[in-house]
Amino acid sequence: FAQMDLCIEAFGTSKQKRALNSRRMNAVGNDVVNTAVTKAAANIIDAKGVTALIQDVAQDDVQNISLFLPPCNEDADKPENVYKFEDILSPAEYEALRVPAAAFVNITPEEIAKKTEDKSHCSFVLEELKFLPDDEKRRDHKARCLWFLDTLIKFSYLKVIKRKRPMGPECPHIISRKLMRNFTSLTYNNGSVENLVSASMKAKITAYVIALALHINNFQIDLTILQNDLKLQESRMMDIAKAMRLKVSKAKGLLELKNDQNHKLGTLSLPLPVQKAPGNQRKRRKMN
């Protein structure tokens, strides 16, 4: 084509030259259009990602929170069957925790003191490590639960996840996969798909942390300690706890309360409280 075009430019009739110019102008026009379409598509993809984030942040009422709770068995005959352990950790995932949790099983008071000083684990876990059962099987069980709970809380601090194993090489592959599949949402950014710990995923992580903490601590937990560990606002924590049908009360007579906070206790007991309508509806009516 290039040689033919040169011949037309040099020796062609005026009609051929007009046709050549027209074809060249069309080619340039097509390039411009193609570039514009590609750019517009990229902008839409990026905008869609941002829009998804904005919508996610807006999902903070109890109705939406309920979408992210562990399966709730309302007909349970005892508290441990309301949120079944197998719905939090499958048998294969639980088995995989044996190796990383071994460090907790044999932990000494000196090591706990050092970890507390370093803040290498969350407060709830550090406190519970002081009270590991003497019985070998129960001790191993609690250690595995605490290791996973600590990992879940640390995972909640991440924003955009770029690595396949964000919690490091000591985290078993099956647990890394669980975190990525169950506790991140996909969003578009600069034309590529990213895993994100969005607002709704943070709510989901919180719900699973609460459910696991209930199993660890005999179905009564200090919600304020977990709220601080998860870096949440109190109102958000209480919304999630109430959506999970916990009875919330003020903790009385607890020593060593940080910053003189009024700690809130969450108790899972039967019969479950009746699910109330979302608290944000009143605010919305005012806005309308």
Side-chain angles (χ1 to χ4, degrees):
F1 271 125
Q3 285 177 328
M4 181 67 79
D5 289 350
L6 288 172
C7 288
I8 291 171
E9 272 183 343
F11 309 112
T13 63
S14 55
K15 188 177 178 182
Q16 286 172 323
K17 285 178 181 174
R18 277 201 306 273
L20 173 64
N21 283 336
S22 176
R23 185 158 52 78
R24 282 180 169 165
M25 288 302 290
N26 279 341
V28 171
N30 286 341
D31 281 348
V32 170
V33 169
N34 285 340
T35 306
V37 168
T38 306
K39 197 170 180 186
N43 288 343
I44 289 166
I45 285 169
D46 286 346
K48 194 172 181 183
V50 173
T51 307
L53 292 188
I54 292 166
Q55 285 171 344
D56 221 346
V57 172
Q59 290 186 350
D60 63 349
D61 61 44
V62 177
Q63 258 180 337
N64 283 322
I65 288 168
S66 65
L67 299 173
F68 301 105
L69 303 183
C72 177
N73 177 14
E74 300 209 9
D75 305 320
D77 53 345
K78 43 192 175 180
E80 53 264 44
N81 291 334
V82 176
Y83 297 107
K84 289 183 178 170
F85 189 78
E86 298 74 35
D87 289 328
I88 305 166
L89 280 166
S90 73
E93 290 158 356
Y94 180 75
E95 177 52 37
L97 291 170
R98 182 172 54 83
V99 175
F104 281 0
V105 173
N106 305 313
I107 201 161
T108 63
E110 293 75 27
E111 285 173 322
I112 294 171
K114 176 85 169 68
K115 284 177 183 294
T116 304
E117 198 180 314
D118 297 343
K119 296 182 177 169
S120 56
H121 300 295
C122 64
S123 302
F124 179 88
V125 169
L126 289 166
E127 193 57 30
E128 289 298 325
L129 282 172
K130 295 175 188 173
F131 306 106
L132 288 175
D134 293 328
D135 175 76
E136 200 177 317
K137 198 170 179 185
R138 287 174 57 228
R139 189 180 184 89
D140 173 53
H141 173 72
K142 186 168 180 178
R144 294 190 206 196
C145 294
L146 288 173
W147 194 91
F148 180 63
L149 186 136
D150 192 61
T151 302
L152 256 185
I153 288 176
K154 285 172 180 166
F155 189 75
S156 78
Y157 302 156
L158 304 179
K159 298 276 189 297
V160 176
I161 297 157
K162 296 195 162 94
R163 292 181 296 161
K164 278 189 178 176
R165 301 188 72 170
M167 303 316 290
E170 72 280 1
C171 183
H173 182 67
I174 191 172
I175 300 296
S176 294
R177 200 167 67 220
K178 178 187 183 76
L179 295 172
M180 295 296 275
R181 279 186 181 174
N182 295 359
F183 300 106
T184 68
S185 44
L186 294 176
T187 188
Y188 297 103
N189 190 29
N190 291 329
S192 62
V193 177
E194 290 179 341
N195 289 78
L196 187 88
V197 179
S198 56
S200 57
M201 286 298 115
K202 178 109 179 181
K204 185 175 182 180
I205 291 170
T206 302
Y208 278 76
V209 163
I210 289 172
L212 185 55
L214 288 164
H215 277 275
I216 291 168
N217 209 6
N218 209 18
F219 303 95
Q220 185 171 70
I221 53 173
D222 187 322
L223 290 168
T224 306
I225 287 178
L226 285 176
Q227 172 205 317
N228 291 339
D229 283 338
L230 285 155
K231 301 177 182 175
L232 284 177
Q233 290 184 324
E234 187 184 75
S235 58
R236 182 73 161 161
M237 190 68 175
M238 294 309 127
D239 277 350
I240 296 169
K242 284 169 185 170
M244 291 182 73
R245 317 287 276 276
L246 270 62
K247 289 172 184 163
V248 177
S249 57
K250 283 186 181 174
K252 290 173 187 168
L254 278 182
L255 298 171
E256 299 175 26
L257 290 190
K258 285 183 186 173
N259 309 328
D260 297 328
Q261 278 179 306
N262 291 320
H263 279 227
K264 300 276 172 49
L265 286 182
T267 308
L268 184 66
S269 58
L270 300 175
L272 293 173
V274 178
Q275 188 74 291
K276 288 179 184 171
N280 285 358
Q281 282 185 345
R282 195 169 62 254
K283 285 185 208 166
R284 279 212 181 106
R285 275 203 291 276
K286 275 184 190 172
M287 283 166 69
N288 294 343

